[in-house]
Amino acid sequence: MKIIRLTLAVLFLAVSSAVATYAQAPAAAPGQVPASKVAVVNSDVFYDAKDGIARLSKAIETVQKEFDPKRTELRNLEADITRKAEEYQRLGASLGQPGSTATEADLRSRKAVIDQLQKDYKRKGEDAQAELPRRIAEVQRPIIDDILKALDAYAKAHGITLTLDSAKMPDAIMTLMPSVDITSDFVKDYNSRNPATASVARP
């Protein structure tokens, strides 16, 4: 029996979102090519606990704490199943031995209890596995929307006409000059304007 272990990578797949921002360039006269400035951002970095968007990390941390009681419940339930299974095995081994009080009816009763506990454990575990990423997606959604708005404003302020997300199209980018990657600067700018102090709404 396995206690739920969901990695951040799995959790983030539930809320993966392309980050593509287009700043409207002035209309070019006929026959002219409009001036353009392309930048690249790696949205995967936004989720990095150290170098990413602080509000995202805080949201995930908060939700993880919300699920601590469920993790504790599952650990306790698993320990209870293990203890009862060991008692069942000892009782079964003593069946028919001199001085033993074990009976077939007692064994069947204990087995039924263990089977029900195992079903409860499986159901609670599956529910938590489904609920955790859903809850993380729920609390991240407004933050991601805000990041996209901020990225759009950042692009306009820096004269960027097209921002590509390298995390969503790694095979399409053949070369990339460091000066084109705005990820670090944008993250710093966003974090300075949006400290990770906002509380997460409870379900």
Side-chain angles (χ1 to χ4, degrees), residues 179-190:
S179 59
V180 178
D181 192 329
I182 62 172
T183 307
S184 180
D185 189 62
F186 170 72
V187 168
K188 290 178 182 178
D189 182 73
Y190 185 88

Side-chain angles (χ1 to χ4, degrees), residues 36-103:
S36 62
K37 183 178 179 181
V38 177
V40 171
V41 66
N42 184 347
S43 65
D44 282 350
V45 176
F46 295 169
Y47 298 100
D48 188 273
K50 180 181 178 181
D51 300 318
I53 301 294
R55 287 183 64 196
L56 283 175
S57 296
K58 182 65 175 180
I60 293 170
E61 179 184 348
T62 300
V63 174
Q64 292 285 4
K65 288 181 179 179
E66 285 181 14
F67 279 74
D68 281 347
K70 291 187 178 182
R71 294 190 186 92
T72 299
E73 180 185 11
L74 285 169
R75 284 195 295 267
N76 291 340
L77 185 54
E78 182 181 35
D80 191 30
I81 292 171
T82 299
R83 183 175 61 256
K84 282 181 168 56
E86 291 172 349
E87 293 173 352
Y88 173 81
Q89 291 174 351
R90 287 195 297 269
L91 191 64
S94 71
L95 187 66
Q97 298 296 320
S100 174
T101 59
T103 65

